[in-house]
Structures are given as structure tokens and as C-alpha cells.
Amino acid sequence: MRSDRTIRDAQYETEAVLDSYFYHNNIGPFIGIRLCQRFGFSNPSPNFVERITKAFETGTFTPTNGGGPSFGSGKYGDLAAMVAAVLLDEEATTDYLDMDPTHGSLREPLLRYIHVLRSLEFKSFEDLNLPFIELDRLDEKIGQMAHAIPTVFSFFLPDHSPPGVVSSAGLASPEAQLLTTPKTVALMNGLYSLLKSGLTYCQYGFSTKTPGFCSDATDGEYGASSGKLEYVPPMNVDDALEELFGMLTAGRMTETNAAIIKNTVQAMASEDPDKAMRLAQQLTVSTPEFHANSIPNTVATARPISSTADTAKKPYKAVIHFMLAGGVDSYQLLVPHSGCEEKDMYEEYKKVRSSIALDQTKLEQIDVTGQVCTKFGLHNKMKFLKDLYDDKDLVFVANVGVMTKDGLTKENHRDETATRLFAHDAMQQEIKTLDPHVEFLGTSPLGRFADAITDEYAVRACAIDTNIEPLTGRISVGTPVYSVDAGGAIPYNEQASIEGMTDVVRSLNGQSEIGTGLFSEFFSEAFMGAIDQSEVLVETLENTQVTEDFPESKTGEKLKILARMIKARQSMGAERDLFYVEMGGFDTHDNVVDRLNGRFDELNGALKAFVNELKEQNVWNNVTIIETSDFGRTLSVNTKKGTDHAWGGNMFVMGGGLNGGKILGEYPRDIALGSELVIGRGRLIPTTPFDSVFKAVAEWFGVPSSKMKDVLPNLDSFTERPLLSEADLYGVSSEEEF
């Protein structure tokens, strides 16, 4: 029963917790760095952060040039003083820092689009009587839309460091997380459509359905638009271009790119000045100067076009890394049932899970040897996993997790673990890199798989509806890494304003020289790669369809496009394929039972269709799917009938070539709160590292033992238990091909 004293104590404790956060030494730098990143400085210097923090703590900021007023109330935590420091500090306002290759940032995609709408004076057509400007599903198309963040971590992570020049320099670029091939092509198409035909759905524009037909939305025609850009440029070409460059690139336009644009539009300007200006606008938004707050140092020589592979000749294999993002509660997936050696493990499970424990009679039973019980139960929404298990096409791995070394205990687990525990970003990142001591910066295990075998096989990699980081290897190796949305590929600039426009765009994003801005360079490299990939993917996927009916769910769409990519293996010349795909929604802090029912039901249906399609393609024996998740979840339930971030969990590996129907690793023999492996609130210390599972799959994939340390650099840290081998998963030697 609540009392006034209980309520009072709860209020005092809440105030104390908030005060501890507010007055923590790290709060100023934490907020300051994130404000810097949103205002165009992805990597503020330590001195800059120190001055911002001082403004936050003193509540006052005075510009060092002495030419302006002071800001703030003089009280601790004054955000006015802090923001003034971010915007007016010498590091934010000094011109010469523009020459620093590490200075600046990529711009957010939504801000780039809104920038054009505002600078070029967009107005809706009055006769349509539209109350507001409506943009269609930009969160799906370009990865960002107001009030539509995909997770509580917003659109991108503050520490994101994309592969290439940015990660090689040890820098962060949060916005690069959205710079995938599909989203880059979609943004450019949307900008071109707006500049040529106003706000329309035609030519991959961003409007919702508007009156008229797309035949009325050619260059300079607005019959299918809800509004258009009303900006009127100066009559003189030089003046018009100078003003345009100022509005869209804030003075960053280089002489090289300004000359390319002028030479392209000058002849047209005398015959059709309006069309010439629309073309100039399109070319301007195609430059790295528009997309990044850094200055490129490039020449007008286009970057090399990506080559296409020859037809595959060697036997095919594919590995799919399938991340259940958010931290799946895998102790609701794999449950001890009966036939237990020392005690009734189901009763112990039922006691520790209390109100969320699954009904024993409704579990899908599987037979097990070598574990604490001879029968385990699967969640009844995952019946297809039981079918695969019984067919020996699926293996569970028990109590697996991110580990720096083995021999972890309650006493030493924090000191002996390099990864920040229980945090989505840190633990997902570690699974995607498996490199706790950062021996191979900016690479992933699957990317290193490719590096190790690229001399023997034609290797291709593809991220499905996400960024490519989980597939990135060494830049010098150059494995082609594609990115495709769940809805498929769209062509780049299908109705170009002039013949050869893509060649001009390539020149605007030409090869870089020493001193180029790294964020501009990263954009140009990604943009040119997106154009090349778009051309290949559109042609490939148009000619590649599946026979199986996939569920009309987000996961079903992703696995359908993945199946189409596998079917295109011959035409794309792939002898070895590496894929990464995610399914979200597993961060079940509340109502875990109902939420998992829905998530598992969607996953079960999508996996069933996918496996059946691969069997139709006669490649199921050649494909391995590795399922991972951020972490397991607490065995104990919280007050919202959910479970919270933990550590060890259960995973599965599936494929037609497995010698499955078993649980590897060691399912905990004691899951009671307070037992040997259980730390606070029912968090299990893992006993099998993810590295062990990836090692076994790498052997099957063809990674030679001599290169295994280059693929999984932390293997020597695990000596107490034998690591899994290819024979454990597949029952075959690494010499045998399927």
C-alpha cells in the first residue's frame, strides 16, 4: 500500500538521480559534442569542447574577438551560453579551418532537401489550397523525416565511423550512416525532380499523389506538381551562378567545379535561360560542396567506374549475418522443458521469469543431447525453427555473447571485458566488428572473410536495407559491397536534362588530391559508387524474380530481395556471397510476451518463405545464416512486464549443409537469481563467444587456417573451452565442397 512517506521518498530519490546526472562532470562535454555535430562539426577539438563545457558550467559565454555581447544568465547549465559557444567560438567561425581536411561534416539529408526548398523559394500552388507541404515517406526514401526517428537513438549514432577515408583518419561521421546506395540515389532523384518539375511524385519526386499525369512533369512543366521553386536569378550568367553557389554551398564552391558548371550551361543560356538555370541548380546540388561542410580539392578527372564481374565458375556459398536488433529475449525462444539431470529446470525457469514464463504445454519440443535437459521447448510462434531443427538444418548455440576473453566471473567480468556492457550501440558494434582491441580498424568479420579468400574466389557482399559497415573489409582489397533497399533498386536520374549529364556529375566529383576535405571526399566516393551500383542492381533485379510467396511484412520484403540477390549470383559473377540484414523491434522493455508473439510470428513466416525459395533455387545446402542480437535480456521481469538489457543469450545458425539438430555451447545449469553466472537482475555471463561461431562458419566458407587470425583477431583469448569448428556445425572437413 502506498503512503505519503513512500511517495515522498520516491520523489526525493528521483530528484537525487536527476541531480546526479545534471551535475555529473561528463554532462557538459556529452551535450556539447552532440550540439557540435548537429551544427556542422562532427569532430570538435578537445579545446573546443572544453570551452563549450566551461560556458555550460559558468552559464556565460563571451566571444574571444570581443566584438559582441556576452550570452547566458551566469547560472550552471545555461543552454543559451552553451549554444552561443558552439556557434560563435573561434573554432566555429575561423575561415582558415575550412582548409583542415578533418574539419566539417556531412549534412543531414533532410536538411539538404529543405535547404533547396527555402533558398530557391518554394511556394505551393494557390488553387490547390494545400494547408501544408506534404512529403511522402522520406524516412524510408532518404532515411530521415521530422518526427519519424526509427529508434530512440535517432537517425544515426554520434560515434558512427564509416569505412574509408573517415574511419582511416579515426573520425566520426554520424550522417554517413544514411549514405547508402538506395538512399543516396533517392535523395538525388528527389532533388532533380524538385528542380525540374516542382514538388511532384513523378521522376521519383517526394510529393504525395498530386493532380495531373507524369507526362505533364517534364523539365520545366508543372502539371503534376503541388508547387514549384519561385526564385528568379539575375539575368547575367556569371552573376546568376555566383548567387546560386552562394545560396547552396555557402561559398564553398571550388574554382574547378564552378568552371565545369559554367561551361556546361553557358551555351544553353542564350537559347533557353530558364532551362540552363534549372540545369545549373541540378549540377550544383550534385557537388560535394553542397552535401558536405568541407572543401574538396579535386581535379576534373572522373573516378574509375566500378567493373562488373565475369560469370561465376566455382561452387557457390553464401553467409548471411541476420541481426535481430534491439536485444532479443532469447530465453523466451529456447526454454528448458523436461528430462533434466539435477533438478526441474523448467520450474526454475518459471520461478525466475515469473509472470512472463511461457506455458510448458504450449512449447514446441525438441530432443537434445549433451545439455542439462534432454528436452527443450521453442516459442510456439517459431514452429519453423523446430522443423529445421528436426531436419538437422539448424543448430542452437547456448549462452553466447560478446566476450573479450574467457574465464569471466562475477568478480572480474567488468575488468576483463573491453566492451561497454548492456549498451545497444557498443554491443552491436562489437558483434559487427569482433575486434575488441581494434587491430583492424573499420572492418567487420564478414568483410575480413572476403579479404581472406578474394584471391581464390569471386566475392560479392550486399547489405539489405541498411548500411554496409557490417560487410566492410580492408579498402585495399576492394571487394564490391552493394546496398539495396527492401523495395528493390531505382535508377539514377532516369530522365536527365541533357545527354551526358552523368558524365558531368562524375567530373564534379572527380579524383581528389592531397588536402581534400575528408567529408567531401567520402560523399563523392559514395555518390559515384551509388551511381555504378544502381545501374547494376536495376538491370539485375529487373531480370530476377522469385517463385515463393513471401509475407507482406518488412522482414518478408527484406528476405525476398535477399533471395533475388542470391538468384542473381551467376549474372553478377559471385562464387562467394556475404549478406547482412536486420530485423528490429526486439528491445522489449515492456509487454515482452505480446511483443515477442508479434515479432516471432513475422520472423517465422519470413524465414519459412526464404528457406523454401532457396530450396527452389537448389542452393539451400550452400547457404548459412548466422543469427545474432545485441545481447540477451534480464531473466527477471520489470514492472512493465518487460525485460531489460543483459548479456548472454541464445542464438541459432541455420543452413541446408549443417549437421544440425543439436544445441552447442553450454545452456546454464543454474539460472536462479544469485547463481554463479547470474549478475544483477538476472543478467547471465556468457560462456561462448560469438567469435567461436564465426570461426566455424569461416572454415566452411573457405577461409584457410593460416588467415584465421586476420579474420578473427581475438581467437587466442579463448583457451578454457575448445572453440567451435566446421566439424561441429557441418560434420564435414573444410576440404569438402557442397
Side-chain angles (χ1 to χ4, degrees), residues 252-263:
R252 290 186 297 272
M253 184 64 73
T254 61
E255 292 182 4
T256 300
N257 281 350
I260 292 172
I261 295 173
K262 180 178 179 180
N263 292 338

Side-chain angles (χ1 to χ4, degrees), residues 105-124:
S105 69
L106 282 171
R107 301 177 64 208
E108 298 177 46
L110 180 60
L111 295 187
R112 286 176 251 170
Y113 192 77
I114 299 299
H115 181 181
V116 173
L117 288 173
R118 287 178 169 170
S119 294
L120 301 185
E121 302 174 16
F122 175 83
K123 290 185 180 179
S124 299

Side-chain angles (χ1 to χ4, degrees), residues 95-101 103-105 249-255 288-289 292-298 513-521:
D95 291 343
Y96 63 78
L97 282 178
D98 290 339
M99 297 297 104
D100 181 349
H103 191 62
S105 69
T249 71
R252 290 186 297 272
M253 184 64 73
T254 61
E255 292 182 4
E289 293 95 319
N293 293 323
S294 65
I295 298 177
N297 182 19
T298 59
E513 297 188 321
I514 294 174
T516 193
L518 295 184
F519 298 103
S520 295
E521 168 64 14

